[in-house]
Amino acid sequence: MAFQVHGPTGRPRRSPVRPLMLGVLFVVMAVPVYLLVVNSFKPQEDILDNPFAVPFGDLTLRHLIDAIQSPQYNVVKGYGFTLFLVVMVDLFCIALAGPAAYVIARSLKRRTQTLLLYFLAGTFIPGAALIIPVIYVLRSVGLANTVTGLIAHDVASTLPVSIFLFVGFIRTVPATIDQAAMIDGAGRLRTFWQIIFPLMRPAVVTVLILNSIGIWNDFVSPQILLSPGSGKYTVTTAIYAGISQYSTDLTKVFPNLLLAVAPVVIFFIYMQRHIISGLTVGAVKG
Amino acid sequence: MELAELTRPADRPAAGDPADRDRDRDRGRTRRRARLRARAVSFGMVGPAVLLYTVMTIVPVGVAVYLSLTDWNGFSSAAFVGLKNYRHLFDDPNSTSAWWVTAIIAVVGSVLMIGGGLAYAIVLKEKSRTNSFFRALAYYPHVISALILGYLWAAILGTNGAINNTLAHFGFGPVGFLFDENLALISLIGVIVWAGFGFNVVLFVAALQTVPAELTEAASIDGASRWQTNRRVVIPMIAPVVTVATVLNLVGLVRAYDLVVSLTGGGPAGATQTYAYVILARSFESTKVGYATAQAVFLMVISAVLALLVTAVRNRQDTDVAG
């Protein structure tokens, strides 16, 4: 870039630009995390007085433990329900998207191909705009304010991209494999689940990562499709409900936010390469 | 086949040119039956996905259009009001100001994310441990819920936040990062860019790694500077990815909602209300559901237009690659 300094030969000399840019990046990206972690272990006065400092004498686990044991808007309890949603949505998404994608990928008929476009149209619809009519639909099928309704909506919202990625992947699997399975007497359903599905591991991993992170972080759907009266909180809706109660008490804000991001960040560090490539592929191809 | 011949109804006379045609017909029948069964299985495999998707995604679009023509409040029965809600879209100051806010966020945010993404992608494109660490560092907000990022930044930028409390030590009054009308929008865009540019970095790094080294070498042998090489050779090579990223950013930012809820709550005085925020936190909350769905339909149309743009761009790209 322009920041490079050039010697007379036109060859770039070592310039301060790269270290400078990386330094800025490090500060800008790391400081919020630093503040989040450090202030989760500090008493209110220390947070207000000197948010950047680490008062080694005053550090305490009390506020974190309070947050974990909090009777109201408990984020850790939210883990359980959110994880349940993630698992259910993942299971149903794979169970529905897999076979559908197989049929679409293996069919040569134009009619089946338009099905793919039909599914893709869904990616163009912004979720926030769709959520109000979804309430109306759920109410008319008797699933308003139910976890089943929320899961049904979440699964439907994951289908377009999942089916698209699966179809793309299945098309790279030679159809001779299917024919061999059929000659051996396997039906279509069995051919898919026993022969093709095990080969789709990379695509399945991508879809699982994409869906799991999406559902874990989702705020609009659980907030609007489950009324506060249901008593069911995901991590995000628990934080939302809690913050309005304790907004000025920073000894509650920081530990709760730390608890909310910890699982995703640990998951991210652990599965970094898969996550980055999965989310990128999902966004670009979807 | 023998079995089929045996079960052939006796009253059906064997055709003029004997067994041949008969056998063909029977073979055709079993084949047709097998095909029917295969079709039923295929239908059973696609059906559930199509059904759920239709009921939960396509039907609601229709419902939205219907509700947008009514004065439904979410509880009682809905009365048809024609295009009243749509006319209201253009004379409701909430709605029109939200469009400006959304457009500014989408355009400024996209430009900054693309610019920052490109700059850092060029710096981080080489494969090395350090670089992948910094790429991950730029990327991590992408996996965290926007709602939570917003609360974290509110605790940093708020009147009682980390920055203002530190500034107070040096005798500076509180800066209204979130409470000054202009600053609040700048802060919101800043946090959006902070959270989203890492995604662009990763996208561009992947694209940059496909640019053959011969091209940049040739350029530098011809005496091009680093800047000229990047500007004239490398960036044009990845132009298709830049276009896709631009539209992805635009489509994503037009929907901005979670971060607005947690960072500014749309304030001060509505200065950071995006369109999605107005739909859900204003119209919907105040039980003007009919009007909210009219706004939602409008947002869908805008998103669809932007999305069609993606498809058009991608198609052009595909033919470019093919040609």
Side-chain angles (χ1 to χ4, degrees), chain B:
Chain B
M1 266 325 125
E2 277 93 352
L3 190 73
E5 248 158 60
L6 283 174
T7 52
R8 171 164 53 85
D11 57 342
R12 193 181 291 170
D17 41 333
D20 256 14
R21 200 206 274 163
D22 224 30
R23 203 174 299 140
D24 275 357
R25 194 174 57 207
D26 285 339
R27 206 177 278 156
R29 202 179 294 151
T30 36
R31 228 184 263 152
R32 214 173 305 132
R33 203 171 297 150
R35 212 182 298 145
L36 258 175
R37 203 174 57 212
R39 202 188 246 180
V41 172
S42 304
F43 192 78
M45 289 169 84
V46 194
V50 173
L51 183 71
L52 183 71
Y53 169 75
T54 306
V55 172
M56 285 290 140
T57 308
I58 301 301
V59 169
V61 174
V63 169
V65 173
Y66 159 72
L67 288 176
S68 71
L69 302 172
T70 71
D71 65 353
W72 196 47
N73 61 10
F75 315 100
S76 58
S77 57
F80 190 76
V81 295
L83 291 173
K84 189 178 142 235
N85 288 328
Y86 286 96
R87 247 175 271 132
H88 193 37
L89 281 181
F90 301 99
D91 55 38
D92 170 14
N94 257 330
S95 189
T96 45
S97 84
W99 263 124
W100 277 112
V101 170
T102 312
I104 291 170
I105 290 176
V107 173
V108 178
S110 299
V111 168
L112 292 177
M113 290 204 286
I114 296 285
L118 267 177
Y120 275 100
I122 288 171
V123 167
L124 294 172
K125 75 173 173 202
E126 244 56 72
K127 282 182 183 150
S128 77
R129 286 214 157 182
T130 333
N131 283 357
S132 56
F133 167 77
F134 278 104
R135 271 181 240 147
L137 192 66
Y139 191 87
Y140 82 85
H142 193 71
V143 302
I144 298 174
S145 145
L147 183 86
I148 289 163
L149 294 177
Y151 285 129
L152 176 57
W153 275 100
I156 296 171
L157 298 173
T159 351
N160 247 336
I163 292 182
N164 275 322
N165 281 337
T166 309
L167 285 178
H169 280 289
F170 303 100
F172 293 108
V175 182
F177 292 113
L178 305 177
F179 297 97
D180 175 272
E181 285 192 24
N182 297 317
L183 261 186
L185 187 57
I186 293 173
S187 302
L188 178 62
I189 294 175
V191 175
I192 287 175
V193 172
W194 174 84
F197 93 101
F199 174 76
N200 290 273
V201 172
V202 169
L203 214 57
F204 294 147
V205 164
L208 286 173
Q209 286 175 347
T210 65
V211 175
E214 292 84 13
L215 280 181
T216 50
E217 279 162 17
S220 76
I221 287 169
D222 288 348
S225 68
R226 244 321 159 94
W227 164 251
Q228 284 172 320
T229 312
N230 282 326
R231 173 76 189 75
R232 305 271 172 211
V233 180
V234 176
I235 294 179
M237 282 293 287
I238 66 163
V241 179
V242 177
T243 329
V244 169
T246 309
V247 191
L248 278 177
N249 288 333
L250 284 175
V251 172
L253 292 183
V254 164
R255 307 172 179 191
Y257 171 73
D258 298 19
L259 200 64
V260 182
V261 169
S262 54
L263 187 67
T264 63
T272 56
Q273 278 184 7
T274 59
Y275 210 69
Y277 184 84
V278 166
I279 294 176
L280 290 175
R282 286 304 192 96
S283 312
F284 179 65
E285 283 292 304
S286 54
T287 70
K288 287 187 270 182
V289 181
Y291 182 50
T293 49
Q295 293 176 311
V297 169
F298 200 53
L299 182 62
M300 278 184 217
V301 171
I302 298 289
S303 296
V305 169
L306 285 174
L308 286 177
L309 205 64
V310 191
T311 335
V313 166
R314 261 185 225 163
N315 284 344
R316 208 188 60 196
Q317 227 173 280
D318 288 350
T319 47
D320 278 359
V321 170

Side-chain angles (χ1 to χ4, degrees), chain A residues 21 29 49 118 139 188 217, chain B residues 42 53 74 120 140 143 169:
Chain A
M21 280 177 75
M29 301 314 291
D49 197 45
Y118 178 66
R139 204 173 289 178
R188 283 206 100 182
N217 288 337
Chain B
S42 304
Y53 169 75
Y120 275 100
Y140 82 85
V143 302
H169 280 289

Side-chain angles (χ1 to χ4, degrees), chain A residues 169 190-202 204:
Chain A
F169 192 89
R190 194 154 156 209
T191 308
F192 173 69
W193 285 116
Q194 288 199 342
I195 312 293
I196 304 298
F197 186 69
L199 298 174
M200 289 166 53
R201 225 173 99 183
V204 172

